[in-house]
């Protein structure tokens, strides 16, 4: 089953509070979704993910299709069983990775021919193939197969790409129509061109998906350009369906997205930067390997009550990174994810209590944003 309830919209912004109900449980929105690319949120166990408040995680169709392959996951009884995660899972459709990871790919009307980034073998993914893979994975929310166009790109390129993505979306919808235990989201493209964003949004909404993501953003464009396109596009999206911004992100990007009406977001940022010792704190980011923390026995963030902050000091975590101990990456990941998930919970509370913009400004001042 799939249900989205819009619980409240802010008076002084497009921020909204919602709840998604799926077969694997409820998701309070706005929500940040940790990314578990290859059936694991790197260095975290499912229990630790629950402990820090993860309500839903993401996994990648492209990666799982290549390794371990759909056969093994099918024999395991699907991705939830395979990775022992019994809450909601959203899988992307493989589009983004095919374009960002594999080389000498060829886009045709039928689908995308590419070489595996692992062993160079010839592969092909079509909209129908992407739906079939996601169906075997058994994720609760699946994404239409699209092209995430590069940035910058000409109006002509984006126009052609966006219209092909619309035709692919129709094929996904057609191919998925009688699968009721999975929910298919459409992806709005159109690059940084408002006329193309409007066409994509209107045509996708006409196809009546259960939810919509905004693709083709967070691809290297400046934040204010992303915000402008985002603000424009959400106005064409139905109020009563979830809006998911792909590939976002850092705290400021998340605040800006929520302010413009986004309900869901995902990004590898918090887990990726954690593994090289960059830690999110209320005073901005810190590089824990820095010698300045050698004898700093305070917690990573005095306002954080995560497992890492309750039990370990900066000096200890710096030591772990300095001697390449795996525990360092784990403790930094636990903290970064908790920091983002807690910030999203505070954002939900601020929308509930009608002080979202005040909370955002207060957070920006402390974090050191503009
Ligand atoms: C699955 N399709 C799909 N994924 C995406 C993932 C992204 N991740 C980022 N920044 C890290 N931008 C994205 C855009 C898309 C997009 O346009 N389409
Ligand atoms: Zn912490």
């Amino acid at each position: 089953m799939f249900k989205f309830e819009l619980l409240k919209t802010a008076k002084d912004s497009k921020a909204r509070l919602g709840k998604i109900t799926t077969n694997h449980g409820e998701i309070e929105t706005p929500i940040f979704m940790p990314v578990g690319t290859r059936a694991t949120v790197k260095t975290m166990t499912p229990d630790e993910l629950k402990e820090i408040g993860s309500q839903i995680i993401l996994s990648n169709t492209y990666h799982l299709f290549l390794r371990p392959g759909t056969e093994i996951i099918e024999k395991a009884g699907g991705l939830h069983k395979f990775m022992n995660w019994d809450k909601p899972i959203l899988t992307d459709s493989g589009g983004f990775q095919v374009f960002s990871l594999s080389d000498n790919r060829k886009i045709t009307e039928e689908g995308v021919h590419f070489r595996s980034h692992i062993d160079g073998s010839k592969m092909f993914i079509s909209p129908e193939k992407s739906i079939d893979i996601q169906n075997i994975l058994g994720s609760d929310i699946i994404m239409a197969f699209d092209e995430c166009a590069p940035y910058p790109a000409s109006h002509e390129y984006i126009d052609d790409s966006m219209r092909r993505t619309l035709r692919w979306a129709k094929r996904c919808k057609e191919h998925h129509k009688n699968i009721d235990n999975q929910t298919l989201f459409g992806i709005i493209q159109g690059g940084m061109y408002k006329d193309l964003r409007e066409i994509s949004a209107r045509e996708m909404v006409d196809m009546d998906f259960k939810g919509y993501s905004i693709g083709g953003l967070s691809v290297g464009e400046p934040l204010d350009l992303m915000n402008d396109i985002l603000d424009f596009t959400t106005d064409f999206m139905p109020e009563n369906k979830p809006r998911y911004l792909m590939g976002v992100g850092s705290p400021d990007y998340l605040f800006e997205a929520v302010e413009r009406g986004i309900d869901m977001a995902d990004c590898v940022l918090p887990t990726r930067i954690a593994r090289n010792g960059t830690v999110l704190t209320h005073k901005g980011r810190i590089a824990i390997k820095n010698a300045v923390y050698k004898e700093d026995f305070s917690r990573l963030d005095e306002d954080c009550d995560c497992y890492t902050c309750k039990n370990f000091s900066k000096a200890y975590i710096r030591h772990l990174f300095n001697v390449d101990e795996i525990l360092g990456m784990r403790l930094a990941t636990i903290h970064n994810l908790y920091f983002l998930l807690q910030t999203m919970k505070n954002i939900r509370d601020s929308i509930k209590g009608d002080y979202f913009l005040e909370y955002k400004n207060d957070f920006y001042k402390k974090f050191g944003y503009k």
Side-chain angles (χ1 to χ4, degrees):
M1 63 96 67
F2 182 86
K3 187 170 68 172
F4 175 66
E5 294 159 273
L6 177 60
L7 303 174
K8 180 169 188 172
T9 302
K11 297 184 190 62
D12 49 3
S13 77
K14 291 171 21 181
R16 28 199 255 150
L17 196 68
K19 187 170 85 171
I20 295 173
T21 308
T22 73
N23 289 340
H24 282 94
E26 293 178 353
I27 304 155
E28 297 162 297
T29 64
I31 186 86
F32 174 77
M33 303 183 283
V35 176
T37 302
R38 295 186 287 223
T40 160
V41 177
K42 288 181 171 45
T43 81
M44 301 287 280
T45 66
D47 283 355
E48 287 165 340
L49 283 169
K50 288 177 190 168
E51 171 69 26
I52 60 173
S54 303
Q55 300 184 42
I56 176 172
I57 61 166
L58 226 94
S59 215
N60 280 161
T61 296
Y62 169 83
H63 286 282
L64 295 171
F65 173 54
L66 264 54
R67 289 182 300 185
T70 47
E71 221 174 292
I72 288 181
I73 295 180
E74 189 160 26
K75 285 188 182 135
L79 194 50
H80 285 90
K81 285 218 181 68
F82 190 50
M83 67 185 288
N84 191 25
W85 173 258
D86 59 5
K87 286 173 169 283
I89 298 176
L90 184 150
T91 44
D92 75 12
S93 52
F96 187 71
Q97 280 74 27
V98 164
F99 294 105
S100 60
L101 281 178
S102 60
D103 46 20
N104 61 24
R105 63 183 168 276
K106 187 165 168 293
I107 307 174
T108 65
E109 188 59 31
E110 192 45 31
V112 186
H113 299 267
F114 61 96
R115 283 191 181 278
S116 152
H117 74 291
I118 295 146
D119 60 13
S121 53
K122 278 194 175 149
M123 317 290 283
F124 174 71
I125 291 195
S126 65
E128 292 79 9
K129 175 94 186 165
S130 172
I131 296 296
D132 289 343
I133 296 169
Q134 296 182 81
N135 186 238
I136 292 170
L137 298 177
S139 36
D140 302 275
I141 301 173
I142 68 174
M143 303 309 294
F145 187 71
D146 65 328
E147 180 191 359
C148 172
Y151 171 79
S154 69
H155 188 275
E156 185 195 8
Y157 182 92
I158 296 291
D159 194 1
D160 291 346
S161 165
M162 178 271 286
R163 291 180 195 278
R164 179 174 50 239
T165 287
L166 284 175
R167 295 191 295 274
W168 284 354
K170 268 197 188 80
R171 286 167 51 188
C172 288
K173 186 108 169 71
E174 189 44 41
H175 195 68
H176 180 260
K177 62 177 183 294
N178 42 22
I179 300 171
D180 59 4
N181 62 341
Q182 283 187 307
T183 300
L184 174 63
F185 276 25
I187 303 180
I188 295 167
Q189 292 290 350
M192 308 303 159
Y193 301 102
K194 289 180 177 175
D195 58 334
L196 301 180
R197 283 282 172 187
E198 179 171 352
I199 295 166
S200 181
R202 287 184 187 283
E203 301 254 343
M204 291 301 275
V205 171
D206 283 353
M207 290 183 220
D208 191 23
F209 286 94
K210 291 260 185 65
Y212 295 94
S213 99
I214 298 178
L217 292 179
S218 185
V219 286
E221 76 280 9
L223 177 57
D224 55 7
L225 179 54
M226 183 185 91
N227 285 339
D228 187 27
I229 296 296
L230 195 50
D231 212 11
F232 177 80
T233 307
T234 49
D235 285 345
F236 295 96
M237 299 168 84
E239 288 239 323
N240 64 337
K241 294 184 176 181
R243 301 162 178 170
Y244 162 29
L245 176 60
M246 308 179 97
V248 163
S250 52
D252 52 338
Y253 277 65
L254 286 170
F255 273 101
E256 300 297 329
V258 168
E259 189 176 342
R260 290 164 178 80
I262 288 296
D263 306 306
M264 303 161 75
D266 83 278
C267 191
V268 295
L269 177 120
T271 39
R272 182 173 292 171
I273 64 172
R275 293 196 297 283
N276 67 28
T278 302
V279 168
L280 297 170
T281 79
H282 285 98
K283 293 202 181 80
R285 297 183 187 193
I286 64 172
I288 198 62
K289 294 178 201 168
N290 192 313
V292 73
Y293 302 115
K294 210 169 185 169
E295 297 180 13
D296 182 337
F297 298 102
S298 67
R299 59 176 63 189
L300 290 178
D301 180 318
E302 72 275 8
D303 296 336
C304 183
D305 59 353
C306 81
Y307 170 73
T308 300
C309 289
K310 282 194 292 200
N311 293 288
F312 307 99
S313 68
K314 290 191 183 80
Y316 175 66
I317 297 165
R318 177 186 170 278
H319 156 66
L320 293 176
F321 273 98
N322 264 14
V323 294
D324 253 348
E325 278 294 344
I326 295 169
L327 183 61
M329 291 202 283
R330 279 178 37 76
L331 295 177
T333 300
I334 288 168
H335 169 78
N336 277 4
L337 280 180
Y338 182 87
F339 183 90
L340 267 196
L341 292 167
Q342 200 57 31
T343 301
M344 295 309 280
K345 178 171 179 332
N346 297 340
I347 283 177
R348 294 194 293 269
D349 291 346
S350 72
I351 297 169
K352 223 173 276 177
D354 291 322
Y355 58 91
F356 167 71
L357 288 179
E358 291 80 355
Y359 173 56
K360 175 194 163 194
N361 294 330
D362 174 50
F363 186 99
Y364 274 32
K365 255 200 253 43
K366 287 205 297 191
F367 205 91
Y369 288 135
K370 57 181 187 288

